Amino acid sequence: MNILTANPILSASLISWLLAQIIKTVLHAVQAKSFNPERIVGAGGMPSSHSALVVTMVIVTARTQGYSSPFFALAAILAGVVIYDAMSVRYNAGLHAKELNRMRKVIDELDDELMQLSGGDEDDLEELSEQKDLKEFLGHTPIEVLAGSMLGVIIAMVFPVA
């Protein structure tokens, strides 16, 4: 049996995820004018790979198992949770991370100025300045989710099922 059609729900969903990640990486590289390898597997951005994956899962499940199957019901419920999480919880966590990163930079600048004025020891502040920024790409805007969902629909409808 063909490896791509052995489990069409899993195969089509993973293809949707991978395609969304590739598109996301290319769009980010064009916009930022630099390649960031983290975007290949990272969360957040356009289109939502989470939405692409779960929408594909729902549609291929419906195509292979039927709309009245418990598998379709589980897939639809899971998709709703994942999409809600991407647009709400993770999106807001990303906004918080962005603000916390901004605040830390302001504090670092103030600390530098205070050290220069007081002639103090910079070793006390080394630990704070060595911390990495929090990840800001976590969730999705409604447009990013819509784009990922549309990609998921397209992949689900063109993917061959037995």
Side-chain angles (χ1 to χ4, degrees), residues 79-101:
V81 170
V82 168
I83 290 171
Y84 174 80
D85 178 67
M87 277 197 319
S88 177
V89 178
R90 287 188 306 109
Y91 180 73
N92 283 301
L95 294 177
H96 291 160
K98 185 179 284 190
E99 187 62 22
L100 289 170
N101 288 338

Side-chain angles (χ1 to χ4, degrees), residues 90-108 132-138:
R90 287 188 306 109
Y91 180 73
N92 283 301
L95 294 177
H96 291 160
K98 185 179 284 190
E99 187 62 22
L100 289 170
N101 288 338
R102 187 191 67 76
M103 290 170 60
R104 196 182 64 127
K105 285 180 178 86
V106 169
I107 290 169
D108 285 347
K132 292 183 180 180
D133 282 346
L134 297 170
K135 287 189 178 189
E136 297 176 9
F137 284 114
L138 296 174

Side-chain angles (χ1 to χ4, degrees), residues 1-158:
M1 180 176 262
N2 185 340
I3 194 164
L4 285 178
T5 57
N7 187 329
I9 298 168
L10 180 60
S11 298
S13 299
L14 291 177
I15 288 169
S16 282
W17 176 85
L18 181 62
L19 187 56
Q21 288 298 122
I22 291 168
I23 293 168
K24 179 188 309 189
T25 302
V26 170
L27 288 177
H28 185 267
V30 168
Q31 183 181 15
K33 294 182 173 69
S34 69
F35 175 72
N36 181 355
E38 187 274 334
R39 300 308 307 142
I40 296 171
V41 293
M46 170 70 92
S48 166
S49 56
H50 291 87
S51 298
L53 183 138
V54 296
V55 166
T56 299
M57 175 186 65
V58 169
I59 293 172
V60 176
T61 300
R63 289 180 65 202
T64 59
Q65 306 297 311
Y67 288 102
S68 62
S69 78
F71 301 111
F72 172 74
L74 287 170
I77 291 167
L78 179 63
V81 170
V82 168
I83 290 171
Y84 174 80
D85 178 67
M87 277 197 319
S88 177
V89 178
R90 287 188 306 109
Y91 180 73
N92 283 301
L95 294 177
H96 291 160
K98 185 179 284 190
E99 187 62 22
L100 289 170
N101 288 338
R102 187 191 67 76
M103 290 170 60
R104 196 182 64 127
K105 285 180 178 86
V106 169
I107 290 169
D108 285 347
E109 290 170 9
L110 289 173
D111 285 341
D112 289 345
E113 289 178 27
L114 287 173
M115 283 299 157
Q116 289 175 357
L117 290 173
S118 67
D121 185 12
E122 291 185 22
D123 291 339
D124 297 337
L125 301 172
E126 240 177 75
E127 186 178 322
L128 179 63
S129 63
E130 288 178 2
Q131 293 177 353
K132 292 183 180 180
D133 282 346
L134 297 170
K135 287 189 178 189
E136 297 176 9
F137 284 114
L138 296 174
H140 297 283
T141 64
I143 293 294
E144 293 167 346
V145 168
L146 180 62
S149 297
M150 289 176 17
L151 177 63
V153 168
I154 292 167
I155 298 297
M157 295 310 291
V158 301

